[in-house]
Amino acid sequence: MSEEQSWSTARLIPTSGINGPDEQERRATSALLAVMSSVKEFGRTLTAPLGAPAGQLDTFIEVPFVIGERKVFPDGLIRAKRGQKQWTALVEVKTGDNALASDQLEDYLDVAREHGFDALITISNEIPASVGLHPTTVDKRKLRKVAIHHWSWSEVLTHAVMQKEFRGVADPEQAWILGELIRYLEHPRSGAMSFDDMGPSWVTIRDAVSAGTLRVSDKGATDVANRFDALVRFACLRLGRQLGTEVTPLLTRLEVSEPATRTATLVASLASTGTLSASIRIPNAVAPMVFEANLRSNKISCYFDLDAPREGKPTTRVNWLIRQLKDAPETVSIEAFVARSRTGAAELLRDARETPAKLVLDPAKDIKSFRISQHHTLGSKRNAGRGSFIDSVLSAIDTTYADVGQRLKVWSATPPRLRSTDEVEVDTTVTESLTSNAMSSQDGDAATPPTGSE
């Protein structure tokens, strides 16, 4: 090993020297805001959805303000200017396990209202159960003139990776700067953590589900349901970061407008069947990925539903699917459904490869759709790590998309093909017998139409 190989590379944003949560928050805030103002594409990606104009970003840290006889110091301030339009937001940051405090946020909302600022942005490791929700409850009266927005550190990191690796940064030096921020946020000492805890109610609710004694009204069930949806959002961010595209939870309009409806549905399912389920939308995939975690059987199932070809014999349709899964694990499960039937034939991929006809219950009925699924062991531990619920869900989602989802394609009919004259056989005897000397409108301009009747 050479001497140079043992040297530490100089970093724009070092992780050394971080002593305590205050220093951790200060460094994370300064690093993020500085890169937002330096790398315009990244800054625009974060602020455009909040209503900021597409202009130069000016960023500041620990700006002092006075409330009554007190001084307060928001962690940062962002200002965007374009022409006569100006947009300003205060920033409050938490790292590690630190949670946002309602009274502190309400003070900053008062400052923003008094100075005519547009928004308050909070950043922490807390991930709300659904998009648009804030993890901290504040007095809604303070939101009449000032908006409040939340970014999780996972969301910030995802946008940074996607901007650098997939969307692109025009200036090479700015791309390097953004890469240094990514490197910093990915370091364990930065305080920008992944989703790693199912909450204090997890063990109690898990045991009640296993025993079949959980009731919808039991304390803690709602918290577990909300944390499961937060895990789903984290899984979407994580998968999207790997794919370079935006992966999102699939919710109904009612669930988007009334998040409590989604939570109530999860709690009811947990109490009745012991399951938690969700769907995620992956751009250009054949269908949403649906996954169901069963806390009673300790199994997680992930599947895609796919329409079968609209032509061909049943076995031809089965073979069409099997060809797409030629490199998939043999333990993948396939179900084939016919019209107006809720049940279908189910086989493992290894058996369907040997005998496709096993998926055909009735040759007289056309197969209308397939369900392709994978089944995984579900962890039970509360915190992230080996044998945990969190890691098993994340692994199941990634594995199923890699083994199944990215291989599947939607069927499309083959367009009709023109045949050449060499492919058309003509019976000359029939042609001669059909020959006529009668005048026709298809004979051309040279033909003289008859002037009278015969």
Side-chain angles (χ1 to χ4, degrees):
M1 181 176 178
S2 67
E3 187 179 40
E4 290 186 9
Q5 289 177 319
S6 65
W7 296 348
S8 298
T9 304
R11 293 296 175 201
L12 183 66
I13 314 170
T15 54
S16 59
I18 297 178
N19 298 313
D22 291 340
E23 170 63 23
Q24 194 178 62
E25 289 177 5
R26 189 177 300 111
R27 193 174 298 195
T29 304
S30 184
L32 173 62
L33 297 187
V35 175
M36 285 178 63
S37 63
S38 299
V39 185
K40 60 182 181 180
E41 294 96 339
F42 176 58
R44 182 65 183 152
T45 292
L46 288 176
T47 59
L50 310 186
Q56 174 61 38
L57 288 183
D58 296 318
T59 56
F60 310 86
I61 63 167
E62 297 182 337
V63 182
F65 293 96
V66 177
I67 296 181
E69 298 180 355
R70 296 182 297 122
K71 267 192 174 182
V72 294
F73 296 84
D75 290 320
L77 183 146
I78 302 172
R79 175 163 289 160
K81 295 180 180 178
R82 185 175 186 181
Q84 298 299 314
K85 187 173 183 181
Q86 179 173 286
W87 178 89
T88 306
L90 297 177
V91 181
E92 175 60 15
V93 174
K94 298 294 181 184
T95 55
D97 293 325
N98 295 331
L100 298 162
S102 298
D103 55 350
Q104 189 178 39
L105 298 187
E106 289 179 358
D107 282 346
Y108 297 158
L109 288 169
D110 289 338
V111 169
R113 185 184 67 253
E114 183 178 339
H115 289 80
F117 296 159
D118 300 274
L120 169 63
I121 300 170
T122 59
I123 309 172
S124 73
N125 286 308
E126 299 164 273
I127 303 178
S130 63
V131 178
L133 286 182
H134 198 277
T136 308
T137 302
V138 296
D139 188 344
K140 292 184 178 180
R141 292 173 296 181
K142 296 181 181 293
L143 302 177
R144 291 173 182 171
K145 294 186 178 180
V146 181
I148 188 169
H149 307 285
H150 181 72
W151 298 333
S152 68
W153 280 114
S154 294
E155 184 178 359
V156 171
L157 177 59
T158 295
H159 282 300
V161 171
M162 290 179 64
Q163 190 66 57
K164 182 177 184 294
E165 302 297 335
F166 300 98
R167 300 181 189 132
V169 177
D171 188 290
E173 292 183 357
Q174 292 183 11
W176 177 79
I177 291 172
L178 184 56
E180 288 294 289
L181 175 66
I182 293 170
R183 187 183 297 274
Y184 176 80
L185 294 179
E186 290 178 336
H187 197 281
R189 298 189 64 185
S190 70
M193 303 186 307
S194 300
F195 186 93
D196 61 357
D197 190 358
M198 285 302 294
S201 302
W202 171 253
V203 174
T204 302
I205 299 302
R206 179 200 65 195
D207 292 346
V209 169
S210 298
T213 59
L214 180 68
R215 296 179 177 85
V216 173
S217 58
D218 283 356
K219 185 178 180 181
T222 297
D223 178 64
V224 167
N226 286 333
R227 285 185 181 263
F228 174 73
D229 268 347
L231 173 59
V232 173
R233 287 196 62 210
F234 175 75
C236 289
L237 291 169
R238 185 172 178 268
L239 182 59
R241 198 155 63 228
Q242 298 175 70
L243 299 178
T245 188
E246 187 176 7
V247 179
T248 56
L250 183 61
L251 302 172
T252 65
R253 290 184 179 180
L254 180 61
E255 290 171 339
V256 172
S257 61
E258 298 180 20
T261 303
R262 162 74 179 166
T263 303
T265 301
L266 284 177
V267 171
S269 175
L270 199 57
S272 61
T273 63
T275 59
L276 293 166
S277 60
S279 300
I280 61 176
R281 180 187 290 112
I282 304 167
N284 300 320
V286 294
M289 180 196 293
V290 181
F291 56 97
E292 183 178 275
N294 192 316
L295 275 64
R296 291 177 182 169
S297 65
N298 291 326
K299 297 290 183 183
I300 180 169
S301 301
C302 304
Y303 64 84
F304 291 87
D305 286 333
L306 176 63
D307 289 337
R310 292 192 295 273
E311 60 184 33
K313 298 178 180 179
T315 51
T316 303
R317 303 183 188 197
V318 172
N319 284 324
W320 167 83
L321 176 62
I322 292 175
R323 284 194 297 272
Q324 296 190 56
L325 299 172
K326 62 180 181 180
D327 297 321
E330 60 180 12
T331 53
V332 167
S333 175
I334 301 176
E335 292 180 81
F337 300 92
V338 297
R340 294 179 293 279
S341 176
R342 294 183 179 181
T343 60
E347 295 290 341
L348 292 178
L349 179 58
R350 64 167 174 253
D351 298 322
R353 283 170 175 161
E354 293 180 1
T355 313
K358 285 186 175 182
L359 286 170
V360 181
L361 293 180
D362 187 347
K365 295 182 179 180
D366 290 335
I367 295 175
K368 295 299 182 182
S369 64
F370 297 102
R371 174 168 292 179
I372 307 95
S373 56
Q374 266 193 321
H375 306 284
H376 312 265
T377 301
L378 184 66
S380 60
K381 294 181 180 179
R382 166 184 167 179
N383 298 109
R386 186 176 180 181
S388 73
F389 178 84
I390 294 170
D391 282 49
S392 62
V393 169
L394 296 177
S395 176
I397 291 172
D398 290 352
T399 301
T400 301
Y401 183 74
D403 289 346
V404 177
Q406 67 180 358
R407 304 176 189 276
L408 298 176
K409 295 181 180 179
V410 176
W411 175 82
S412 60
T414 303
R417 185 174 62 88
L418 285 172
R419 294 186 297 172
S420 66
T421 55
D422 294 338
E423 296 178 287
V424 181
E425 296 184 2
V426 179
D427 189 338
T428 56
T429 58
V430 174
T431 304
E432 291 174 356
S433 65
L434 296 176
T435 301
S436 172
N437 292 325
M439 299 299 296
S440 169
S441 61
Q442 303 301 305
D443 288 340
D445 295 336
T448 304
T451 56
S453 59
E454 294 181 357

